[in-house]
Amino acid sequence: MAGAPMERADVVELGMRTVADFVSRAPGDPADTYALRLTSGTSGSGPVMVVRQFDPVQNARYYADASDIIAAFFGSRSTRLTQAMNMRKSGALRRHMLILDGGDVTPHIDTLLQQFAPDALLGLPSVMVKISSRMPADVRRGVKVIVAGGEHVGAAAQKYFLQQYPHARIDTFYGSSEVGVVAGACPYDPTTIYHPLPNTFIEIDDPDKDGVGDILVTKTIYRDQKVRRYRIGDMGKIIDGPCRCGESVSFEVVGRTGYDYIKLAGAILRREEFDRVALSLGEYISDYRAEAYIAGTVEESKGGIILSVFRKSSVLNTSELEQVRVLFAERLFISTTLTLAQAVLKGYFVPLEVVAVSQPFPKQSKDVTLRLRPS
Amino acid sequence: MTGTFLQVRSRADFMRVALRERRSKDEKSLVKIVHTNDGDFLSEWSFDDIKREPYGIISKRPMVFMLDAHEAIEKSMWCYERAMVPLIGELDLDIAVYTAEKYQIDQLIADAESCIKLVSYLRSRAEPLLAISILDASFDPASLLPLAPFAKQVRLVLTLPETGVIAEAPLSKAPVFSVAPDCKIDAGGSLVVTKLLPLVTPITGYDTGIRIAVQSKLADGSVESFVLSDN
């Protein structure tokens, strides 16, 4: 597909055009078709305000088996409202939706969740993980479907859900607030492989040797207004060949550009890999934040990582910090064959820096544990 | 629906009786968490019931701006049920104002505190809104009177999350509330309300704890109009 990719600033402008158009000539039946959406998130730029059309066909599949539904909060209120409207427009006569807010997690939440007893969960996987710890075990056993979206569902989260919700199947969707749902998950691999929705086109921009690059999306969002080759902010790869489910186009989402998946100094830093190593060092690490940066000179740039660690029981002492520094570097793979420790020896990276923090990291709607420092 | 149905007469009953035991009908609905100083409880509203409440007026571009996220979503759904596409205000005031300007709102539905936050924006508008509907359980007219120039009408809508609209009054120094349609109010020590149309959790002889002074009564002895008491 030709034409330079649309960037977020272009979509901000497009969004404003949809709003202006809607204000000036509201269509005949606006309430049944349209929603005002506002983005939020980790992309680091301003909000996008856009008028979008509902997609009840796409969303109906998520409610097929469920009657009581919890929608974990998605961040923006406009997203939560869209979920309520999607449920309203779904075919079933009886559905009950409880849309949770951060302020709802009080000492009473366990009792309330017990009363509501959902059989489906819908929302950000990170938030569902947090709420799960407050959901009684018998309630969790009653959950039949978990629909996760808005964030990448990693292997750790998937494993967690399967353990905590033993009778639930997991489904995911892929998209963003500004463009809506772009793809549905493959039933054979619902947290990794996606298939574009009808009339939605996916490309990968500037793929590396593994085929990974920026995901570009083309679809109509409002009347005749399209996002064309929109750089949605995630990295992915096209999967060759038809899928065993029968779909002809498949792609994998690797993670958020600059957060879940960072290319640096020839290495690939993946948040999942950081999570794995942090888990293996559980006696030292309760939570962490990692910041990657470009070190060295322009002529000889290297990669650098600063790891901030928090331990609930006590602050790490000097000797323990050194243990973490050595072990983390030895265990962290930054390519299929190279660990961080090896990369330091080869001169690709500067030695890992580890800092102990005495307070828990502030909780946000989307916890960003790995980030690339802007250069 | 469960075989056992238990009546609720006060907030203590909402907290004591599980949701499924006070669900009198099974329709497509939103469930919300109501936070109080004495505890939290679930309140369920069917979309049909939400539609019937007089939360706002009919306009083209309403904005719903409420501190409580559950109330914001429910009142926004009211807009949809009344064939209006709402702007649901985000908590961040700058973003709320920005979006209100872009959407060129013509109506505001908000709680009292949220309304006051928007005074600078309302003052900046070239035209008054069609209406401001202030949904709350108590009102300080003195703090709300400055809103009067910003809309053609300012409605004080006496509302509890679990009962919906009880009464409303035009904004004034000493507002006199008229009982809402499909509502019956009796007053002993406090306002006792019955919603005449069946809600998911029916409100029948429900003691709100709101103190009122009766101004006039109907032929059947129920309250027709009242003012809110301070104690």
Side-chain angles (χ1 to χ4, degrees), chain A residues 30-31 34-35 38 68 77-78 80 87-88 90 92-99 104 106 108 115-116, chain B residues 19-20 26-31 35 40 44 47 66-67 69-70 80-81 83 85 89-91 95 99 103:
Chain A
Y34 300 98
L38 190 73
D68 292 315
R77 290 182 170 192
S78 67
R80 301 181 216 179
M87 194 270 284
R88 178 69 170 121
S90 68
L93 290 175
R94 293 188 300 278
R95 291 253 153 78
H96 312 285
M97 180 175 267
L98 169 63
I99 303 175
D104 293 329
T106 69
H108 306 278
Q115 279 191 36
F116 185 67
Chain B
L19 177 65
R20 289 174 191 230
D26 203 357
E27 297 176 359
K28 198 175 282 188
S29 65
L30 281 179
V31 178
H35 298 286
D40 303 340
E44 180 173 337
F47 289 106
M66 306 195 77
L67 284 176
H70 293 282
Y80 270 120
E81 293 293 325
V85 177
E90 301 293 337
L91 269 186
I95 291 178
T99 53
Y103 194 45

Side-chain angles (χ1 to χ4, degrees), chain A residues 324-336:
Chain A
V324 170
R325 196 185 67 77
V326 168
L327 292 173
F328 206 99
E330 284 177 355
R331 296 179 186 184
L332 182 76
F333 278 88
I334 59 170
S335 77
T336 50

Side-chain angles (χ1 to χ4, degrees), chain A residues 67-71 84 87 95-101 104 112-113 115-117, chain B residues 19-20 22-23 26-34 41-47 50 68-71 73-74 161 200-201:
Chain A
S67 62
D68 292 315
I69 303 171
I70 276 185
M87 194 270 284
R95 291 253 153 78
H96 312 285
M97 180 175 267
L98 169 63
I99 303 175
L100 286 164
D101 181 68
D104 293 329
L112 297 178
L113 290 172
Q115 279 191 36
F116 185 67
Chain B
L19 177 65
R20 289 174 191 230
R22 47 179 167 83
R23 180 185 278 153
D26 203 357
E27 297 176 359
K28 198 175 282 188
S29 65
L30 281 179
V31 178
K32 59 188 177 182
I33 295 177
V34 180
F41 59 88
L42 296 176
S43 173
E44 180 173 337
W45 281 78
S46 75
F47 289 106
I50 290 171
D68 186 283
H70 293 282
E71 297 303 316
I73 292 167
E74 182 184 88
V200 173
T201 297

Side-chain angles (χ1 to χ4, degrees), chain B residues 65-224:
Chain B
F65 188 47
M66 306 195 77
L67 284 176
D68 186 283
H70 293 282
E71 297 303 316
I73 292 167
E74 182 184 88
K75 277 57 180 175
S76 297
M77 283 307 302
W78 175 86
C79 293
Y80 270 120
E81 293 293 325
R82 296 293 188 108
M84 297 181 280
V85 177
L87 168 64
I88 183 169
E90 301 293 337
L91 269 186
D92 183 302
L93 183 60
D94 290 338
I95 291 178
V97 168
Y98 172 82
T99 53
E101 286 172 345
K102 293 300 178 190
Y103 194 45
Q104 297 180 40
I105 64 166
D106 57 7
Q107 168 186 191
L108 177 65
I109 299 170
D111 55 76
E113 187 176 336
S114 300
C115 262
I116 292 167
K117 286 182 181 177
L118 286 176
V119 163
S120 290
Y121 158 70
L122 294 171
R123 188 176 292 127
S124 72
R125 287 176 52 90
E127 298 282 336
L129 294 169
L130 293 174
I132 297 174
S133 299
I134 306 175
L135 278 53
D136 226 310
S138 64
F139 304 93
D140 173 21
S143 68
L144 298 174
L145 280 171
L147 295 169
F150 303 138
K152 293 182 180 174
Q153 56 169 316
V154 180
R155 305 166 62 232
L156 304 182
V157 185
L158 187 66
T159 313
L160 289 177
E162 68 270 31
T163 66
V165 177
I166 299 169
E168 72 170 89
L171 176 63
S172 69
K173 285 183 190 172
V176 178
F177 286 84
S178 301
V179 177
D182 301 323
C183 250
K184 183 180 166 196
I185 291 178
D186 297 298
S190 59
L191 191 159
V192 174
V193 62
T194 296
K195 301 284 280 199
L196 302 177
L197 293 175
L199 303 177
V200 173
T201 297
I203 299 297
T204 305
Y206 185 77
D207 187 348
T208 64
I210 297 172
R211 314 288 295 182
I212 65 172
V214 177
Q215 300 294 290
S216 64
K217 289 191 174 184
L218 295 170
D220 65 359
S222 64
V223 175
E224 182 182 38

